[in-house]
Amino acid sequence: MKCKFVIYGVLLAIPFHTCLTASTAAQDLISAANFPGSGDQTESGTHVSLSEVLDALGKRYRVRFNYNSELIRTKTVSTGVLHTFQDGNLATSLKKLLSPLHLVYEKVGGKQYIIRKERDRDGSLTPIPDIGRRGVSTGDPLRLLSFQEQVVTGRITDAGSGDPLPGVSVLVQGTSNGTSSGPDGFYRLENVPADAILLISFIGYREQEVPLNGRREVDVALEADLESLDEVVVVGYGTQRKSSTTSAISALDGEELTHSPVANINNSIAGRIPGILAFQESGEPGSDATTLRVRGIGTIAEGRNAAALTVVDGIPRDITQLNPAEIESVTVLKDAAAIAPYGLAGANGVILITTKRGAAGQVSVNYNGWYGIQRPTRFPDYLNAYDFARLLNAANENVGQPPTYSEEELQKYRDGTDPDHFPDHDWVREVINFEAPMTRHDLSFTGGSERVRFFSSLGFLYQEGGVSTINYSRYNLASNVDVDATPTTTISLDIKGTFEQKKDPGSTSGTGIYTVITKQPPLLPAQLQYSNGLPGHELLPQIYHSGYNRQQENLFYSQLSIQQELPFLEGLSIKGVAAFDKAFSFNKHWQTPYTYYALDSEDEFEPVQGGVTAPSLAEQFSQDQVITLQGYLTYQQTFGKHAVNVLGVIEKRNGDWNRLGASRLNFAVDLDELSLGSSNKVDFDNEGISTESKQIGLVSRVAYDYDGKYLFEFSSRYDGHYYFAPGKRFDFFPALSLGWRISEEPFLKDRYSWLDNLKIRGSYGKSGNLAGSAFQYLSSYGVANSYVFGGPQYYQVQGVFERAEANPHITWETARKTDIGLEASLWNGKFGLEADVFYEKRSDMLLYPAETVPLEYGIGISQINAGIMENRGIDLSLRTSHRFPSGIHLNAAFNFTYAKNKLIQTFENEATFNNPNRRRTGRAYETRFGYKALGYFQSEEEIEGWATQFGDVRPGDIKYADMNGDGRITPEDEVVIGKPLIPQIIYGLVTELSWKGIGLNMLWQGAGSSSIYLANEAALPFFNGAKAFQEHLDYWRPDNPDARYPRVTPSPTTNNSQTSSFWVRDGSYLRLKSLELGYAIPQKALSATGIGSLRVYVSGQNLITFSAVDFLDPELSNNRARYYFQQKVYSFGLNIGF
Amino acid sequence: MQKIVYILPAVFLFIACERAIEVNPSDQLTDADVWRTPDNANLFLNDIYNSLNPGPWPDLWTNVPMQIGNDPLDNYTDNSLSGNIAGIPSYQLFANGTYGPSNPIFGPHWERMYENIRKCNLFLEKVAGAGFDEATTTSMLAQARFLRAYFYKSLVDLYGGVPLITEVLNRNEDENIAFPRATYEACVEFIRDECEQAAADLPETLAPQDLGRATRGAALALKGETELYAGLFDEAAATHRTIMELGVYELFPDYGALFYPENENNPEVIFDVQYAPYIKGHSRDTYWTAPLVADGFGWGAVNPTQDLVDCYEYLDGKTADEGSTVYDPAAPYENRDSRFYASIIYDGSEWRGGPIYTRLGIPNNRNELDPSGSGGKGRTGYFIKKMLDPTVVPGRENLDNQTGGSNSIVFRYAEVLLNYAEAQNEVAGPDASVYQAMNKVRERAGLPALPEGLDQQGMRERIRRERRVELAFEGKRLYDLWRWRIAEEVFNKPLHAMKITESGGALIYERIEAGGSTIRFDPSKNYRMPIPQDAIDQNPELEQNPNY
């Protein structure tokens, strides 16, 4: 059987709707002004069926009721109740109607109501609605009597997660004998015949029929209905039914994000949604957000201008500080049709986040918390002092220099008897905490009455870095209230506050620490720490005794919205939203001198001062304020088989940002307050600056569908932005999309019952992207601090300088996107498929027309809108769900994204353009160029007979291809040696296995078609005296001609350090990105405790990785491997519900 | 139809709304504002001064001008070697002889100088037409002329003739914005003329608050050095004589202290680039200081060679090779020219409150000699002392502030004297005025006067040695080697280090080859730097220097 929502409301204008088989008496009743009681006409005497009543109410109030048809199929209502209805007050009427039936309703969106079972406080048993037994047919009474009736109990869980499902309807087939499950998923049903069949149904899950066969205890695992056709999805400035969307959008349930023990939601999104390419560049607390690129790289713009627009609850906002526990859903808008409402901000894709809201019912409380430890995913196996010294000696020998270390010294490094003079430090493990703690605690409350609903949550996160002085903490508070002020008016107030703090040491940073520990050889006299504990290098005092650098950020998001249905036209409503967002950030950077020790020539420990000469303090405060005003007009109506849906929004955003900073040097006292610093004015400094921004836009969307089969949508935005010159500020961004639900055609619908849904859709449209900076159209002078005149009594003067040439024609980037998609669902949602092919042409990208003016021109010439790039690819997702006879339930979803761009027009100089090997045009952006390595020179003769390379070349050095045959290796010989860093392929496989309360959730995520490059320390040993890896021991020798590394030298040679294919590595990887294994404690064990539900779990992030370079993380963002390494996390958690 | 219904009102709405998104930038000035008053226009001039640079800009590494960076110009000569650090251009490109148009040593210099030249051109054009009073206008124009000539000279020194652009180019109006290179001679002529004009209008001395601005002496020194470098000895001698006759300049008594911040703008200084700690500071003290000093650390970026050290005479006015009688092989650093002690840190010399040892055999010593330089140690057994500010603690900069504030002297009176001596010797032989100028410089160094009766060649050699020692590390040696055409002899052979070992309580001094110190020099092309390929690619009129 199929669980589906039946939506009747929209059908009100269809005169001969075949579905309406029931009598129209109820409609008449309700339609009549005074609800005259004439129940005689109904088949069931003084009762009418609930579905009829709802149907009639729907028409009257022009709303839709969504419900499980099974839930109300047998329900009836006394006509007496109808008499008590008051005209014009739907809420009251519904309450009167539903309460006796133990049903509740919930208003979702403006005109949608969901009707479901009431949740009980203690839960397991709901009194059987006796109206059923008295009223409607309860089946053959003889049959009822023919078997002994019994009590049946059991538990209903989610087959995927194993989580208990409350509120699930359990009904004895053919009767109205039913109940719903309690908060822990348990139910109890009395008077059930031993041969009865139980009907288990719940919104969003597939209904099950379970024959009792005499059993008294029946546990049921419900499978999520993966293809909920009438699932509502969030789209730009509204919601749509999934079945009628014609644009490419992917959604992710917020629940899924909670399976990853990470601080930043970006890190849990990667790999879970088709259409997103992801790259996590750092593991540093507070700055480890994965870069998300919707459908890859479509522009050469950088930073913010290359990122997707992020929208939280309808307002463009930053998402990185959000608490994952607050998130209801994440939606990615990918094609032109989906992003058109965002105009010039949408071309890089849009990520919409909807946060959780309250639902009517008892207040429920949920606590979730976990504690974990973190350590670097991967780092090279560095040589110890003895091996390092031996390798250096070998390197010296190679270049004809005496060994650096004598045999006695080597011996001392080996036996470690004199660690103060012959140290051997494992800098990584001695400095970095491999059990760095991380923890999160979330508490949420939700509940309310039919008219007032609320959701509140409180979150805390603490993430310690590899050293305790680097840490990140975040507090999130969110609260929202929805009030149905009148049956046609909804008022919502949302407030979110975030406080986050990132702490660093005063004189170093995460990257600084990693730079030192991955570079310092194990044996330098300036060693990490002497045997008596004194630091011998400044690293440890820098970490622990150099003051602090504290960055605090307070975020405040608030919005008030009022939605009003308009009485004069059916289906018309208006909404006003005012959002006020404010961010305060405050940095305090306190630096103090620190001490470390050097052994002097008498072997005495001599203190060495490091860092600042006297304490200094710098403070910086900035505030960013954005006010967004939105006015919505929506119209939804159905005329026969024609349904229209119209949206118009006017939006205005004004932003103000300012910054104020001050500092003092030379503190006499160790008190970190500005006013207590030096009172010499020379030690003072201050700064302040502000900017302003404005944008205005008009969004419209017209959707039309015929009979749910032929879908049409036109959406657009007329947008204006202050960046540009007057007259150049506005543009129109339209998109058109079409869809055809082939599965609704009679020739398929009736013949192939296994085909739930088959839809083809396509879209084409234009959108924009801001690039560059404001005021590039203006010719003007900048102001800066400048020269110092006046000798020792110097004073600094100001200077003004000519800014880059203006371009009054400057404008935004224009994207033209085409998308063709296919959506299918088979066998009751057992398999789901969604696939898209896309093509985008981005034009007007800002470029410097480099070849047109000589360098002698003397001023930065203006950028022009000339760059063209195309980007094409596919994204797809496959879903399946299966329940094995053993009771194991499997849900799996696979997603795959491929995006490859190509520069169609860029300005490069003739030297590269005219050489097909070097030409950037026509290749992917940031393709890697360099020399083509041909292995090693094996003999002097080979070198003699080859092109001139770089410096002193010997056998064992890298040999490069002389592409132009001129006998010299010059930049003219460069060729493509690798792909860009950001992968062109990202895929993910989410699998959920559950069995009797045990749930296993795994995300395998992979990337392909990218190259990483190894340079400097990451390439050759002894770069500026740096460390060497175990791998480096496999170097070229006459007896090792196929070594992994070239001949070893005391410092990398110029020849071997050239950018070449030798150092390019495949960037593909596959990793177990997250894993969670959970167990829900059986209700029986909890029943005495008062706890509704209790689940324990262990989880992890980045647990296993496969990649070509096995000694570095494949998401290597810095080709020298000098950055805060990505982290792996092991955690343990607990989830309690009351 | 539906579309029109939407768009029409929208268009009307937004025409009205254009103003609603009007934002004026809060941090920019208009053209009219800047040239309204002399005070405002002077802000533009300040920015040109701020573009002044001592020495050319290197391509790699720290990307600050050579003479305050970590690879100063003397590392490209026989005077000093850089440490062995990857990416250091003197070590990686210059010594290997691998620099060329595509991997130039001074990549950004070309573009930056032309940016500065444009600023000067714009300033000259705008101020000339601004209608300020005459005295103000004259002074402003003269300063800009001097600065423009200075920027041109820094190009001409490296590349020979360069395009001479004297007006503000506008690609929308000018027919031609691609200029070919003018000849070297034409450029020299241009610089001379400009300096001549500037000198006529510039003051001889400055009010205290204006110290750092161009003076008549500065313009003449720029002119004189240009003439000397161009081999115009007659003109050079005359120009330098004019400076000497100004009577404004004299030698500062203490050679070492002449570079210290407390003696900034002393009577020896003719023109310098001004710095101030924190406000407009530099990191030279950290870059150049020996790896480990008592209260901080340096990068040891400048390792003076034994070859330079050998040029410092003993107190009897002779070098060891010339048979100095006060030279003791067991104590080679005693009885030297006082400039030696002011310029070089050698084994056992005191610096920053402790001795610096470069000898081998002392445990835990990061300053010791390592000819390969691979351990971050010194490559020659010497470190630089000259031009380092003894009050700056190296390696301890904070809040992104650069703590070095000592000015970088471009022209000083000692150079004028030496330039005069050289030019006059070339014109008239070693006459009394040549001796006088030379002996003035030697006298301050504590050296006896030059022996009487030197012939022109003998004097030429003494002048060259005096110049090498007096102006060591000031960025003049490379140009000297080039213009004297002796680079091919000086290079292409190893430079030397001093290895000091202890044996039975006595120190043994051994002159050894410094590792990797042979500079490859190709006389067919290396007497000029290659013009960066970018510049060639973007201007088809530009011709590359020969053989690159």
Side-chain angles (χ1 to χ4, degrees), chain A residues 400-457:
Chain A
Q401 290 200 5
T404 304
Y405 302 97
S406 67
E407 280 306 318
E408 302 89 86
E409 288 174 321
L410 286 178
Q411 184 52 36
K412 285 184 170 162
Y413 280 122
R414 188 174 207 174
D415 60 29
T417 49
D418 183 5
D420 285 348
H421 295 104
F422 299 92
D424 182 8
H425 286 286
D426 182 342
W427 287 68
V428 175
R429 285 178 186 275
E430 289 178 50
V431 174
I432 299 294
N433 177 7
F434 274 55
E435 283 164 11
M438 179 176 182
T439 185
R440 207 174 86 199
H441 302 275
D442 293 309
L443 192 60
S444 67
F445 308 87
T446 178
S449 66
E450 270 68 41
R451 289 184 59 179
V452 180
R453 299 167 296 278
F454 79 97
F455 172 84
S456 301
S457 84

Side-chain angles (χ1 to χ4, degrees), chain A residues 864-911:
Chain A
I864 55 172
N865 295 99
I868 303 175
M869 181 189 260
E870 61 177 32
N871 183 25
R872 64 178 84 216
I874 54 172
D875 50 59
L876 68 88
S877 63
L878 289 166
R879 284 157 298 167
T880 186
S881 172
H882 187 70
R883 189 181 174 81
F884 295 94
S886 57
I888 294 176
H889 191 108
L890 168 73
N891 272 328
F894 173 75
N895 68 74
F896 175 90
T897 308
Y898 169 71
K900 185 183 178 185
N901 66 52
K902 188 158 117 183
L903 287 166
I904 301 296
Q905 180 170 311
T906 180
F907 292 129
E908 55 179 316
N909 59 44
E910 290 182 5

Side-chain angles (χ1 to χ4, degrees), chain A residues 416-636:
Chain A
T417 49
D418 183 5
D420 285 348
H421 295 104
F422 299 92
D424 182 8
H425 286 286
D426 182 342
W427 287 68
V428 175
R429 285 178 186 275
E430 289 178 50
V431 174
I432 299 294
N433 177 7
F434 274 55
E435 283 164 11
M438 179 176 182
T439 185
R440 207 174 86 199
H441 302 275
D442 293 309
L443 192 60
S444 67
F445 308 87
T446 178
S449 66
E450 270 68 41
R451 289 184 59 179
V452 180
R453 299 167 296 278
F454 79 97
F455 172 84
S456 301
S457 84
L458 197 59
F460 167 70
L461 173 101
Y462 175 77
Q463 183 181 15
E464 195 165 293
V467 299
S468 63
T469 47
I470 293 184
N471 56 62
Y472 171 74
S473 38
R474 186 177 66 207
Y475 301 80
N476 291 87
L477 184 146
S479 185
N480 60 59
V481 183
D482 297 309
V483 180
D484 295 335
T486 75
T488 57
T489 314
T490 309
I491 299 172
S492 303
L493 174 66
D494 296 30
I495 288 171
K496 275 185 206 308
T498 304
F499 170 72
E500 66 170 18
Q501 174 165 291
K502 182 171 175 358
K503 273 183 131 176
D504 279 308
S507 292
T508 186
S509 62
T511 302
I513 293 167
Y514 270 87
T515 297
V516 175
I517 62 171
T518 57
K519 192 176 99 176
Q520 288 293 340
L523 47 54
L524 274 190
Q527 56 175 303
L528 184 62
Q529 213 165 9
Y530 295 105
S531 53
N532 61 3
L534 289 178
H537 183 276
E538 59 180 344
L539 181 64
L540 289 178
Q542 270 179 348
I543 294 172
Y544 296 107
H545 305 291
S546 69
Y548 59 84
N549 185 6
R550 194 179 69 197
Q551 299 172 47
Q552 294 178 331
E553 178 116 353
N554 285 281
L555 266 181
F556 175 74
Y557 290 162
S558 65
Q559 72 195 78
L560 177 69
S561 66
I562 301 169
Q563 178 162 13
Q564 177 65 52
E565 290 158 28
L566 295 180
F568 53 85
L569 182 60
E570 292 183 357
L572 187 67
S573 74
I574 55 169
K575 182 165 98 171
V577 180
F580 174 75
D581 295 344
K582 194 143 188 163
F584 302 98
S585 69
F586 180 59
N587 289 9
K588 193 166 181 178
H589 191 180
W590 169 246
Q591 280 182 280
T592 55
Y594 50 81
T595 309
Y596 56 105
Y597 295 84
L599 272 179
D600 68 9
S601 47
E602 271 87 51
D603 265 353
E604 300 287 332
F605 288 98
E606 194 68 39
V608 182
Q609 300 304 311
V612 291
T613 45
S616 64
L617 179 65
E619 294 188 350
Q620 203 176 64
F621 177 82
S622 72
Q623 61 171 4
D624 191 2
Q625 172 176 305
V626 182
I627 293 176
T628 308
L629 300 175
Q630 296 172 332
Y632 289 71
L633 183 75
T634 52
Y635 175 67
Q636 242 173 300

